[in-house]
PDB file of all heavy atoms in Angstrom:
ATOM      1  N   PHE A   1      26.719  20.404 -42.300  1.00  0.00           N
ATOM      2  CA  PHE A   1      26.196  19.052 -42.269  1.00  0.00           C
ATOM      3  C   PHE A   1      25.208  18.930 -41.124  1.00  0.00           C
ATOM      4  O   PHE A   1      25.224  19.699 -40.169  1.00  0.00           O
ATOM      5  CB  PHE A   1      27.313  18.031 -42.019  1.00  0.00           C
ATOM      6  CG  PHE A   1      28.366  18.007 -43.070  1.00  0.00           C
ATOM      7  CD1 PHE A   1      29.639  18.501 -42.817  1.00  0.00           C
ATOM      8  CD2 PHE A   1      28.110  17.482 -44.324  1.00  0.00           C
ATOM      9  CE1 PHE A   1      30.621  18.469 -43.763  1.00  0.00           C
ATOM     10  CE2 PHE A   1      29.092  17.450 -45.284  1.00  0.00           C
ATOM     11  CZ  PHE A   1      30.337  17.949 -45.010  1.00  0.00           C
ATOM     12  N   TYR A   2      24.352  17.943 -41.236  1.00  0.00           N
ATOM     13  CA  TYR A   2      23.457  17.599 -40.143  1.00  0.00           C
ATOM     14  C   TYR A   2      23.276  16.089 -40.137  1.00  0.00           C
ATOM     15  O   TYR A   2      23.364  15.438 -41.193  1.00  0.00           O
ATOM     16  CB  TYR A   2      22.091  18.280 -40.290  1.00  0.00           C
ATOM     17  CG  TYR A   2      22.163  19.788 -40.343  1.00  0.00           C
ATOM     18  CD1 TYR A   2      22.225  20.455 -41.552  1.00  0.00           C
ATOM     19  CD2 TYR A   2      22.197  20.534 -39.181  1.00  0.00           C
ATOM     20  CE1 TYR A   2      22.310  21.840 -41.604  1.00  0.00           C
ATOM     21  CE2 TYR A   2      22.283  21.916 -39.220  1.00  0.00           C
ATOM     22  CZ  TYR A   2      22.332  22.559 -40.436  1.00  0.00           C
ATOM     23  OH  TYR A   2      22.429  23.926 -40.494  1.00  0.00           O
ATOM     24  N   ASN A   3      23.040  15.558 -38.954  1.00  0.00           N
ATOM     25  CA  ASN A   3      22.761  14.139 -38.874  1.00  0.00           C
ATOM     26  C   ASN A   3      21.442  13.839 -39.573  1.00  0.00           C
ATOM     27  O   ASN A   3      20.517  14.649 -39.553  1.00  0.00           O
ATOM     28  CB  ASN A   3      22.681  13.704 -37.408  1.00  0.00           C
ATOM     29  CG  ASN A   3      22.979  12.231 -37.230  1.00  0.00           C
ATOM     30  OD1 ASN A   3      22.890  11.441 -38.159  1.00  0.00           O
ATOM     31  ND2 ASN A   3      23.362  11.854 -36.034  1.00  0.00           N
ATOM     32  N   MET A   4      21.376  12.687 -40.228  1.00  0.00           N
ATOM     33  CA  MET A   4      20.166  12.297 -40.929  1.00  0.00           C
ATOM     34  C   MET A   4      19.027  12.114 -39.935  1.00  0.00           C
ATOM     35  O   MET A   4      19.124  11.351 -38.978  1.00  0.00           O
ATOM     36  CB  MET A   4      20.395  11.004 -41.707  1.00  0.00           C
ATOM     37  CG  MET A   4      19.215  10.575 -42.574  1.00  0.00           C
ATOM     38  SD  MET A   4      19.030  11.579 -44.054  1.00  0.00           S
ATOM     39  CE  MET A   4      20.285  10.857 -45.105  1.00  0.00           C
ATOM     40  N   ALA A   5      17.936  12.846 -40.145  1.00  0.00           N
ATOM     41  CA  ALA A   5      16.770  12.772 -39.269  1.00  0.00           C
ATOM     42  C   ALA A   5      15.618  12.088 -39.992  1.00  0.00           C
ATOM     43  O   ALA A   5      15.441  12.247 -41.199  1.00  0.00           O
ATOM     44  CB  ALA A   5      16.358  14.171 -38.808  1.00  0.00           C
ATOM     45  N   PHE A   6      14.835  11.333 -39.250  1.00  0.00           N
ATOM     46  CA  PHE A   6      13.704  10.615 -39.812  1.00  0.00           C
ATOM     47  C   PHE A   6      12.448  10.893 -38.984  1.00  0.00           C
ATOM     48  O   PHE A   6      12.517  10.967 -37.760  1.00  0.00           O
ATOM     49  CB  PHE A   6      13.957   9.098 -39.809  1.00  0.00           C
ATOM     50  CG  PHE A   6      15.236   8.677 -40.468  1.00  0.00           C
ATOM     51  CD1 PHE A   6      16.413   8.596 -39.751  1.00  0.00           C
ATOM     52  CD2 PHE A   6      15.263   8.371 -41.815  1.00  0.00           C
ATOM     53  CE1 PHE A   6      17.600   8.210 -40.353  1.00  0.00           C
ATOM     54  CE2 PHE A   6      16.442   7.982 -42.427  1.00  0.00           C
ATOM     55  CZ  PHE A   6      17.611   7.896 -41.700  1.00  0.00           C
ATOM     56  N   HIS A   7      11.329  11.040 -39.658  1.00  0.00           N
ATOM     57  CA  HIS A   7      10.046  11.141 -38.962  1.00  0.00           C
ATOM     58  C   HIS A   7       9.617   9.736 -38.575  1.00  0.00           C
ATOM     59  O   HIS A   7       8.800   9.091 -39.225  1.00  0.00           O
ATOM     60  CB  HIS A   7       8.986  11.788 -39.860  1.00  0.00           C
ATOM     61  CG  HIS A   7       9.237  13.237 -40.133  1.00  0.00           C
ATOM     62  ND1 HIS A   7       8.511  13.958 -41.035  1.00  0.00           N
ATOM     63  CD2 HIS A   7      10.148  14.102 -39.622  1.00  0.00           C
ATOM     64  CE1 HIS A   7       8.962  15.198 -41.069  1.00  0.00           C
ATOM     65  NE2 HIS A   7       9.946  15.307 -40.224  1.00  0.00           N
ATOM     66  N   ALA A   8      10.191   9.244 -37.506  1.00  0.00           N
ATOM     67  CA  ALA A   8       9.919   7.873 -37.076  1.00  0.00           C
ATOM     68  C   ALA A   8      10.072   7.763 -35.571  1.00  0.00           C
ATOM     69  O   ALA A   8      10.825   8.508 -34.948  1.00  0.00           O
ATOM     70  CB  ALA A   8      10.860   6.882 -37.769  1.00  0.00           C
ATOM     71  N   THR A   9       9.347   6.827 -35.013  1.00  0.00           N
ATOM     72  CA  THR A   9       9.478   6.548 -33.592  1.00  0.00           C
ATOM     73  C   THR A   9      10.726   5.718 -33.356  1.00  0.00           C
ATOM     74  O   THR A   9      11.388   5.261 -34.291  1.00  0.00           O
ATOM     75  CB  THR A   9       8.260   5.783 -33.074  1.00  0.00           C
ATOM     76  OG1 THR A   9       8.242   4.467 -33.670  1.00  0.00           O
ATOM     77  CG2 THR A   9       6.969   6.510 -33.418  1.00  0.00           C
ATOM     78  N   ALA A  10      11.049   5.507 -32.090  1.00  0.00           N
ATOM     79  CA  ALA A  10      12.202   4.684 -31.750  1.00  0.00           C
ATOM     80  C   ALA A  10      12.045   3.258 -32.261  1.00  0.00           C
ATOM     81  O   ALA A  10      13.020   2.543 -32.450  1.00  0.00           O
ATOM     82  CB  ALA A  10      12.424   4.694 -30.243  1.00  0.00           C
ATOM     83  N   LYS A  11      10.788   2.831 -32.515  1.00  0.00           N
ATOM     84  CA  LYS A  11      10.517   1.496 -33.044  1.00  0.00           C
ATOM     85  C   LYS A  11      10.602   1.439 -34.564  1.00  0.00           C
ATOM     86  O   LYS A  11      10.380   0.389 -35.172  1.00  0.00           O
ATOM     87  CB  LYS A  11       9.136   1.021 -32.596  1.00  0.00           C
ATOM     88  CG  LYS A  11       8.997   0.851 -31.085  1.00  0.00           C
ATOM     89  CD  LYS A  11       7.590   0.389 -30.727  1.00  0.00           C
ATOM     90  CE  LYS A  11       7.444   0.197 -29.223  1.00  0.00           C
ATOM     91  NZ  LYS A  11       6.055  -0.259 -28.879  1.00  0.00           N
ATOM     92  N   GLY A  12      10.900   2.592 -35.198  1.00  0.00           N
ATOM     93  CA  GLY A  12      10.983   2.627 -36.640  1.00  0.00           C
ATOM     94  C   GLY A  12       9.660   2.851 -37.337  1.00  0.00           C
ATOM     95  O   GLY A  12       9.571   2.780 -38.567  1.00  0.00           O
ATOM     96  N   GLU A  13       8.603   3.140 -36.569  1.00  0.00           N
ATOM     97  CA  GLU A  13       7.294   3.396 -37.147  1.00  0.00           C
ATOM     98  C   GLU A  13       7.206   4.849 -37.608  1.00  0.00           C
ATOM     99  O   GLU A  13       7.649   5.754 -36.908  1.00  0.00           O
ATOM    100  CB  GLU A  13       6.191   3.095 -36.134  1.00  0.00           C
ATOM    101  CG  GLU A  13       6.166   1.641 -35.654  1.00  0.00           C
ATOM    102  CD  GLU A  13       5.238   1.430 -34.476  1.00  0.00           C
ATOM    103  OE1 GLU A  13       4.955   2.439 -33.769  1.00  0.00           O
ATOM    104  OE2 GLU A  13       4.816   0.285 -34.243  1.00  0.00           O
ATOM    105  N   ARG A  14       6.648   5.087 -38.796  1.00  0.00           N
ATOM    106  CA  ARG A  14       6.552   6.424 -39.339  1.00  0.00           C
ATOM    107  C   ARG A  14       5.684   7.313 -38.452  1.00  0.00           C
ATOM    108  O   ARG A  14       4.600   6.937 -38.037  1.00  0.00           O
ATOM    109  CB  ARG A  14       5.970   6.406 -40.755  1.00  0.00           C
ATOM    110  CG  ARG A  14       5.891   7.782 -41.414  1.00  0.00           C
ATOM    111  CD  ARG A  14       5.375   7.681 -42.828  1.00  0.00           C
ATOM    112  NE  ARG A  14       5.233   8.982 -43.448  1.00  0.00           N
ATOM    113  CZ  ARG A  14       6.181   9.647 -44.061  1.00  0.00           C
ATOM    114  NH1 ARG A  14       7.372   9.111 -44.145  1.00  0.00           N
ATOM    115  NH2 ARG A  14       5.975  10.829 -44.613  1.00  0.00           N
ATOM    116  N   SER A  15       6.176   8.503 -38.164  1.00  0.00           N
ATOM    117  CA  SER A  15       5.436   9.493 -37.396  1.00  0.00           C
ATOM    118  C   SER A  15       4.914  10.556 -38.350  1.00  0.00           C
ATOM    119  O   SER A  15       5.658  11.105 -39.156  1.00  0.00           O
ATOM    120  CB  SER A  15       6.332  10.126 -36.329  1.00  0.00           C
ATOM    121  OG  SER A  15       5.659  11.143 -35.624  1.00  0.00           O
ATOM    122  N   SER A  16       3.635  10.855 -38.266  1.00  0.00           N
ATOM    123  CA  SER A  16       3.018  11.804 -39.184  1.00  0.00           C
ATOM    124  C   SER A  16       1.772  12.381 -38.538  1.00  0.00           C
ATOM    125  O   SER A  16       1.387  11.981 -37.427  1.00  0.00           O
ATOM    126  CB  SER A  16       2.653  11.099 -40.492  1.00  0.00           C
ATOM    127  OG  SER A  16       1.538  10.241 -40.309  1.00  0.00           O
ATOM    128  N   PRO A  17       1.102  13.344 -39.208  1.00  0.00           N
ATOM    129  CA  PRO A  17      -0.171  13.845 -38.665  1.00  0.00           C
ATOM    130  C   PRO A  17      -1.190  12.750 -38.401  1.00  0.00           C
ATOM    131  O   PRO A  17      -2.097  12.936 -37.585  1.00  0.00           O
ATOM    132  CB  PRO A  17      -0.644  14.806 -39.758  1.00  0.00           C
ATOM    133  CG  PRO A  17       0.626  15.302 -40.384  1.00  0.00           C
ATOM    134  CD  PRO A  17       1.544  14.119 -40.381  1.00  0.00           C
ATOM    135  N   ASN A  18      -1.051  11.629 -39.085  1.00  0.00           N
ATOM    136  CA  ASN A  18      -1.930  10.493 -38.833  1.00  0.00           C
ATOM    137  C   ASN A  18      -1.914  10.089 -37.365  1.00  0.00           C
ATOM    138  O   ASN A  18      -2.938   9.677 -36.808  1.00  0.00           O
ATOM    139  CB  ASN A  18      -1.507   9.312 -39.712  1.00  0.00           C
ATOM    140  CG  ASN A  18      -2.363   8.071 -39.486  1.00  0.00           C
ATOM    141  OD1 ASN A  18      -3.562   8.109 -39.629  1.00  0.00           O
ATOM    142  ND2 ASN A  18      -1.725   6.983 -39.152  1.00  0.00           N
ATOM    143  N   SER A  19      -0.742  10.232 -36.727  1.00  0.00           N
ATOM    144  CA  SER A  19      -0.620   9.898 -35.307  1.00  0.00           C
ATOM    145  C   SER A  19      -1.524  10.794 -34.461  1.00  0.00           C
ATOM    146  O   SER A  19      -2.151  10.337 -33.496  1.00  0.00           O
ATOM    147  CB  SER A  19       0.834  10.037 -34.854  1.00  0.00           C
ATOM    148  OG  SER A  19       1.709   9.271 -35.670  1.00  0.00           O
ATOM    149  N   TYR A  20      -1.625  12.074 -34.826  1.00  0.00           N
ATOM    150  CA  TYR A  20      -2.467  12.999 -34.087  1.00  0.00           C
ATOM    151  C   TYR A  20      -3.940  12.733 -34.327  1.00  0.00           C
ATOM    152  O   TYR A  20      -4.768  12.872 -33.417  1.00  0.00           O
ATOM    153  CB  TYR A  20      -2.109  14.435 -34.481  1.00  0.00           C
ATOM    154  CG  TYR A  20      -0.817  14.898 -33.858  1.00  0.00           C
ATOM    155  CD1 TYR A  20       0.397  14.607 -34.441  1.00  0.00           C
ATOM    156  CD2 TYR A  20      -0.824  15.604 -32.669  1.00  0.00           C
ATOM    157  CE1 TYR A  20       1.593  15.004 -33.871  1.00  0.00           C
ATOM    158  CE2 TYR A  20       0.363  16.016 -32.082  1.00  0.00           C
ATOM    159  CZ  TYR A  20       1.561  15.711 -32.688  1.00  0.00           C
ATOM    160  OH  TYR A  20       2.734  16.096 -32.105  1.00  0.00           O
ATOM    161  N   ILE A  21      -4.278  12.365 -35.560  1.00  0.00           N
ATOM    162  CA  ILE A  21      -5.678  12.039 -35.861  1.00  0.00           C
ATOM    163  C   ILE A  21      -6.128  10.844 -35.030  1.00  0.00           C
ATOM    164  O   ILE A  21      -7.212  10.850 -34.434  1.00  0.00           O
ATOM    165  CB  ILE A  21      -5.849  11.756 -37.365  1.00  0.00           C
ATOM    166  CG1 ILE A  21      -5.595  13.029 -38.174  1.00  0.00           C
ATOM    167  CG2 ILE A  21      -7.251  11.218 -37.650  1.00  0.00           C
ATOM    168  CD1 ILE A  21      -5.583  12.818 -39.660  1.00  0.00           C
ATOM    169  N   ARG A  22      -5.290   9.816 -34.976  1.00  0.00           N
ATOM    170  CA  ARG A  22      -5.638   8.628 -34.199  1.00  0.00           C
ATOM    171  C   ARG A  22      -5.756   8.946 -32.708  1.00  0.00           C
ATOM    172  O   ARG A  22      -6.656   8.453 -32.027  1.00  0.00           O
ATOM    173  CB  ARG A  22      -4.603   7.532 -34.433  1.00  0.00           C
ATOM    174  CG  ARG A  22      -4.655   6.933 -35.848  1.00  0.00           C
ATOM    175  CD  ARG A  22      -3.582   5.878 -36.045  1.00  0.00           C
ATOM    176  NE  ARG A  22      -3.644   5.295 -37.368  1.00  0.00           N
ATOM    177  CZ  ARG A  22      -4.413   4.279 -37.715  1.00  0.00           C
ATOM    178  NH1 ARG A  22      -5.206   3.711 -36.811  1.00  0.00           N
ATOM    179  NH2 ARG A  22      -4.417   3.810 -38.944  1.00  0.00           N
ATOM    180  N   ALA A  23      -4.853   9.779 -32.206  1.00  0.00           N
ATOM    181  CA  ALA A  23      -4.910  10.162 -30.796  1.00  0.00           C
ATOM    182  C   ALA A  23      -6.173  10.962 -30.497  1.00  0.00           C
ATOM    183  O   ALA A  23      -6.803  10.803 -29.442  1.00  0.00           O
ATOM    184  CB  ALA A  23      -3.664  10.963 -30.426  1.00  0.00           C
ATOM    185  N   THR A  24      -6.568  11.818 -31.434  1.00  0.00           N
ATOM    186  CA  THR A  24      -7.778  12.613 -31.261  1.00  0.00           C
ATOM    187  C   THR A  24      -9.021  11.726 -31.262  1.00  0.00           C
ATOM    188  O   THR A  24      -9.922  11.893 -30.430  1.00  0.00           O
ATOM    189  CB  THR A  24      -7.885  13.660 -32.379  1.00  0.00           C
ATOM    190  OG1 THR A  24      -6.725  14.510 -32.348  1.00  0.00           O
ATOM    191  CG2 THR A  24      -9.132  14.519 -32.195  1.00  0.00           C
ATOM    192  N   LEU A  25      -9.074  10.781 -32.192  1.00  0.00           N
ATOM    193  CA  LEU A  25     -10.210   9.866 -32.246  1.00  0.00           C
ATOM    194  C   LEU A  25     -10.307   9.000 -31.000  1.00  0.00           C
ATOM    195  O   LEU A  25     -11.399   8.567 -30.616  1.00  0.00           O
ATOM    196  CB  LEU A  25     -10.101   8.974 -33.486  1.00  0.00           C
ATOM    197  CG  LEU A  25     -10.308   9.662 -34.841  1.00  0.00           C
ATOM    198  CD1 LEU A  25      -9.969   8.711 -35.977  1.00  0.00           C
ATOM    199  CD2 LEU A  25     -11.735  10.171 -34.975  1.00  0.00           C
ATOM    200  N   ALA A  26      -9.163   8.766 -30.355  1.00  0.00           N
ATOM    201  CA  ALA A  26      -9.146   7.948 -29.144  1.00  0.00           C
ATOM    202  C   ALA A  26      -9.635   8.707 -27.918  1.00  0.00           C
ATOM    203  O   ALA A  26      -9.776   8.117 -26.846  1.00  0.00           O
ATOM    204  CB  ALA A  26      -7.732   7.417 -28.895  1.00  0.00           C
ATOM    205  N   ASP A  27      -9.900  10.019 -28.068  1.00  0.00           N
ATOM    206  CA  ASP A  27     -10.370  10.841 -26.957  1.00  0.00           C
ATOM    207  C   ASP A  27     -11.641  11.590 -27.374  1.00  0.00           C
ATOM    208  O   ASP A  27     -11.647  12.824 -27.485  1.00  0.00           O
ATOM    209  CB  ASP A  27      -9.275  11.828 -26.531  1.00  0.00           C
ATOM    210  CG  ASP A  27      -9.648  12.650 -25.314  1.00  0.00           C
ATOM    211  OD1 ASP A  27     -10.646  12.304 -24.632  1.00  0.00           O
ATOM    212  OD2 ASP A  27      -8.953  13.649 -25.035  1.00  0.00           O
ATOM    213  N   PRO A  28     -12.745  10.884 -27.613  1.00  0.00           N
ATOM    214  CA  PRO A  28     -13.966  11.533 -28.101  1.00  0.00           C
ATOM    215  C   PRO A  28     -14.552  12.525 -27.117  1.00  0.00           C
ATOM    216  O   PRO A  28     -15.224  13.479 -27.528  1.00  0.00           O
ATOM    217  CB  PRO A  28     -14.916  10.361 -28.358  1.00  0.00           C
ATOM    218  CG  PRO A  28     -14.392   9.246 -27.486  1.00  0.00           C
ATOM    219  CD  PRO A  28     -12.908   9.417 -27.474  1.00  0.00           C
ATOM    220  N   ALA A  29     -14.331  12.323 -25.833  1.00  0.00           N
ATOM    221  CA  ALA A  29     -14.858  13.258 -24.840  1.00  0.00           C
ATOM    222  C   ALA A  29     -14.155  14.606 -24.944  1.00  0.00           C
ATOM    223  O   ALA A  29     -14.794  15.660 -24.851  1.00  0.00           O
ATOM    224  CB  ALA A  29     -14.715  12.681 -23.444  1.00  0.00           C
ATOM    225  N   GLY A  30     -12.856  14.573 -25.124  1.00  0.00           N
ATOM    226  CA  GLY A  30     -12.100  15.811 -25.212  1.00  0.00           C
ATOM    227  C   GLY A  30     -12.141  16.446 -26.582  1.00  0.00           C
ATOM    228  O   GLY A  30     -12.127  17.671 -26.717  1.00  0.00           O
ATOM    229  N   TYR A  31     -12.189  15.614 -27.619  1.00  0.00           N
ATOM    230  CA  TYR A  31     -12.154  16.107 -28.988  1.00  0.00           C
ATOM    231  C   TYR A  31     -13.196  15.360 -29.822  1.00  0.00           C
ATOM    232  O   TYR A  31     -12.917  14.277 -30.349  1.00  0.00           O
ATOM    233  CB  TYR A  31     -10.775  15.911 -29.602  1.00  0.00           C
ATOM    234  CG  TYR A  31      -9.663  16.563 -28.809  1.00  0.00           C
ATOM    235  CD1 TYR A  31      -8.910  15.823 -27.902  1.00  0.00           C
ATOM    236  CD2 TYR A  31      -9.375  17.908 -28.964  1.00  0.00           C
ATOM    237  CE1 TYR A  31      -7.897  16.418 -27.168  1.00  0.00           C
ATOM    238  CE2 TYR A  31      -8.365  18.515 -28.237  1.00  0.00           C
ATOM    239  CZ  TYR A  31      -7.633  17.759 -27.339  1.00  0.00           C
ATOM    240  OH  TYR A  31      -6.617  18.352 -26.609  1.00  0.00           O
ATOM    241  N   PRO A  32     -14.386  15.891 -29.962  1.00  0.00           N
ATOM    242  CA  PRO A  32     -15.447  15.201 -30.704  1.00  0.00           C
ATOM    243  C   PRO A  32     -15.243  15.276 -32.222  1.00  0.00           C
ATOM    244  O   PRO A  32     -15.921  16.025 -32.918  1.00  0.00           O
ATOM    245  CB  PRO A  32     -16.706  15.937 -30.266  1.00  0.00           C
ATOM    246  CG  PRO A  32     -16.223  17.317 -29.920  1.00  0.00           C
ATOM    247  CD  PRO A  32     -14.850  17.138 -29.342  1.00  0.00           C
ATOM    248  N   LEU A  33     -14.295  14.518 -32.714  1.00  0.00           N
ATOM    249  CA  LEU A  33     -13.970  14.496 -34.137  1.00  0.00           C
ATOM    250  C   LEU A  33     -14.599  13.285 -34.800  1.00  0.00           C
ATOM    251  O   LEU A  33     -14.527  12.169 -34.284  1.00  0.00           O
ATOM    252  CB  LEU A  33     -12.451  14.459 -34.334  1.00  0.00           C
ATOM    253  CG  LEU A  33     -11.947  14.287 -35.774  1.00  0.00           C
ATOM    254  CD1 LEU A  33     -12.273  15.516 -36.611  1.00  0.00           C
ATOM    255  CD2 LEU A  33     -10.439  14.010 -35.785  1.00  0.00           C
ATOM    256  N   THR A  34     -15.205  13.496 -35.959  1.00  0.00           N
ATOM    257  CA  THR A  34     -15.736  12.402 -36.767  1.00  0.00           C
ATOM    258  C   THR A  34     -14.968  12.336 -38.075  1.00  0.00           C
ATOM    259  O   THR A  34     -14.827  13.348 -38.771  1.00  0.00           O
ATOM    260  CB  THR A  34     -17.231  12.595 -37.069  1.00  0.00           C
ATOM    261  OG1 THR A  34     -17.965  12.616 -35.847  1.00  0.00           O
ATOM    262  CG2 THR A  34     -17.756  11.462 -37.945  1.00  0.00           C
ATOM    263  N   VAL A  35     -14.435  11.188 -38.412  1.00  0.00           N
ATOM    264  CA  VAL A  35     -13.749  10.963 -39.678  1.00  0.00           C
ATOM    265  C   VAL A  35     -14.655  10.095 -40.553  1.00  0.00           C
ATOM    266  O   VAL A  35     -14.993   8.980 -40.178  1.00  0.00           O
ATOM    267  CB  VAL A  35     -12.385  10.282 -39.468  1.00  0.00           C
ATOM    268  CG1 VAL A  35     -11.745   9.973 -40.818  1.00  0.00           C
ATOM    269  CG2 VAL A  35     -11.462  11.183 -38.655  1.00  0.00           C
ATOM    270  N   LYS A  36     -15.046  10.629 -41.691  1.00  0.00           N
ATOM    271  CA  LYS A  36     -15.947   9.923 -42.600  1.00  0.00           C
ATOM    272  C   LYS A  36     -15.135   9.377 -43.768  1.00  0.00           C
ATOM    273  O   LYS A  36     -14.566  10.141 -44.545  1.00  0.00           O
ATOM    274  CB  LYS A  36     -17.035  10.858 -43.113  1.00  0.00           C
ATOM    275  CG  LYS A  36     -18.144  10.182 -43.907  1.00  0.00           C
ATOM    276  CD  LYS A  36     -19.231  11.177 -44.291  1.00  0.00           C
ATOM    277  CE  LYS A  36     -20.343  10.523 -45.088  1.00  0.00           C
ATOM    278  NZ  LYS A  36     -21.064   9.503 -44.295  1.00  0.00           N
ATOM    279  N   LEU A  37     -15.041   8.065 -43.872  1.00  0.00           N
ATOM    280  CA  LEU A  37     -14.295   7.420 -44.949  1.00  0.00           C
ATOM    281  C   LEU A  37     -15.203   7.194 -46.158  1.00  0.00           C
ATOM    282  O   LEU A  37     -16.421   7.311 -46.074  1.00  0.00           O
ATOM    283  CB  LEU A  37     -13.703   6.104 -44.462  1.00  0.00           C
ATOM    284  CG  LEU A  37     -12.773   6.179 -43.239  1.00  0.00           C
ATOM    285  CD1 LEU A  37     -12.296   4.782 -42.847  1.00  0.00           C
ATOM    286  CD2 LEU A  37     -11.589   7.087 -43.504  1.00  0.00           C
ATOM    287  N   HIS A  38     -14.569   6.891 -47.290  1.00  0.00           N
ATOM    288  CA  HIS A  38     -15.304   6.629 -48.527  1.00  0.00           C
ATOM    289  C   HIS A  38     -16.272   7.766 -48.836  1.00  0.00           C
ATOM    290  O   HIS A  38     -17.455   7.568 -49.137  1.00  0.00           O
ATOM    291  CB  HIS A  38     -16.062   5.293 -48.448  1.00  0.00           C
ATOM    292  CG  HIS A  38     -15.187   4.117 -48.144  1.00  0.00           C
ATOM    293  ND1 HIS A  38     -14.123   3.768 -48.935  1.00  0.00           N
ATOM    294  CD2 HIS A  38     -15.212   3.232 -47.116  1.00  0.00           C
ATOM    295  CE1 HIS A  38     -13.528   2.707 -48.419  1.00  0.00           C
ATOM    296  NE2 HIS A  38     -14.160   2.367 -47.316  1.00  0.00           N
ATOM    297  N   ALA A  39     -15.754   8.984 -48.737  1.00  0.00           N
ATOM    298  CA  ALA A  39     -16.569  10.164 -48.977  1.00  0.00           C
ATOM    299  C   ALA A  39     -15.801  11.132 -49.871  1.00  0.00           C
ATOM    300  O   ALA A  39     -14.627  11.422 -49.623  1.00  0.00           O
ATOM    301  CB  ALA A  39     -16.948  10.834 -47.654  1.00  0.00           C
ATOM    302  N   LEU A  40     -16.445  11.627 -50.909  1.00  0.00           N
ATOM    303  CA  LEU A  40     -15.845  12.571 -51.836  1.00  0.00           C
ATOM    304  C   LEU A  40     -16.620  13.884 -51.782  1.00  0.00           C
ATOM    305  O   LEU A  40     -17.810  13.932 -52.112  1.00  0.00           O
ATOM    306  CB  LEU A  40     -15.875  12.013 -53.261  1.00  0.00           C
ATOM    307  CG  LEU A  40     -15.350  12.937 -54.372  1.00  0.00           C
ATOM    308  CD1 LEU A  40     -13.856  13.165 -54.217  1.00  0.00           C
ATOM    309  CD2 LEU A  40     -15.669  12.377 -55.749  1.00  0.00           C
ATOM    310  N   VAL A  41     -15.964  14.949 -51.340  1.00  0.00           N
ATOM    311  CA  VAL A  41     -16.597  16.263 -51.326  1.00  0.00           C
ATOM    312  C   VAL A  41     -16.744  16.748 -52.764  1.00  0.00           C
ATOM    313  O   VAL A  41     -15.773  16.835 -53.502  1.00  0.00           O
ATOM    314  CB  VAL A  41     -15.778  17.261 -50.491  1.00  0.00           C
ATOM    315  CG1 VAL A  41     -16.359  18.670 -50.629  1.00  0.00           C
ATOM    316  CG2 VAL A  41     -15.771  16.844 -49.022  1.00  0.00           C
ATOM    317  N   THR A  42     -17.962  17.058 -53.151  1.00  0.00           N
ATOM    318  CA  THR A  42     -18.230  17.499 -54.516  1.00  0.00           C
ATOM    319  C   THR A  42     -18.267  19.012 -54.656  1.00  0.00           C
ATOM    320  O   THR A  42     -17.947  19.557 -55.701  1.00  0.00           O
ATOM    321  CB  THR A  42     -19.556  16.913 -55.024  1.00  0.00           C
ATOM    322  OG1 THR A  42     -20.609  17.347 -54.154  1.00  0.00           O
ATOM    323  CG2 THR A  42     -19.504  15.381 -55.021  1.00  0.00           C
ATOM    324  N   ARG A  43     -18.681  19.713 -53.605  1.00  0.00           N
ATOM    325  CA  ARG A  43     -18.700  21.173 -53.648  1.00  0.00           C
ATOM    326  C   ARG A  43     -19.000  21.723 -52.263  1.00  0.00           C
ATOM    327  O   ARG A  43     -19.491  21.003 -51.383  1.00  0.00           O
ATOM    328  CB  ARG A  43     -19.719  21.707 -54.641  1.00  0.00           C
ATOM    329  CG  ARG A  43     -21.177  21.384 -54.312  1.00  0.00           C
ATOM    330  CD  ARG A  43     -22.109  21.805 -55.425  1.00  0.00           C
ATOM    331  NE  ARG A  43     -23.495  21.430 -55.135  1.00  0.00           N
ATOM    332  CZ  ARG A  43     -24.442  22.282 -54.751  1.00  0.00           C
ATOM    333  NH1 ARG A  43     -24.169  23.569 -54.597  1.00  0.00           N
ATOM    334  NH2 ARG A  43     -25.689  21.856 -54.522  1.00  0.00           N
ATOM    335  N   VAL A  44     -18.704  23.002 -52.092  1.00  0.00           N
ATOM    336  CA  VAL A  44     -19.080  23.740 -50.893  1.00  0.00           C
ATOM    337  C   VAL A  44     -20.489  24.287 -51.093  1.00  0.00           C
ATOM    338  O   VAL A  44     -20.834  24.775 -52.178  1.00  0.00           O
ATOM    339  CB  VAL A  44     -18.099  24.885 -50.613  1.00  0.00           C
ATOM    340  CG1 VAL A  44     -18.551  25.712 -49.415  1.00  0.00           C
ATOM    341  CG2 VAL A  44     -16.690  24.332 -50.358  1.00  0.00           C
TER     342      VAL A  44
END
């Protein structure tokens, strides 16, 4: 058996890779990441 584990913060907020993306975007000097929304890659 194992205790039920959840990907959530102590506040009950879901923890996911999204958290890392937001943290990265919040540090443009250290990590120059651009996220382009409403974009569909059609081919390489």
Side-chain angles (χ1 to χ4, degrees):
F1 298 109
Y2 301 94
N3 204 340
M4 185 74 79
F6 307 89
H7 291 172
T9 67
K11 296 179 179 180
E13 299 170 338
R14 182 177 177 85
S15 177
S16 73
N18 179 57
S19 306
Y20 284 84
I21 294 173
R22 290 178 179 274
T24 301
L25 290 172
D27 184 13
Y31 303 97
L33 174 67
T34 299
V35 176
K36 188 176 180 64
L37 303 178
H38 303 302
L40 176 67
V41 173
T42 59
R43 64 187 177 105
V44 176

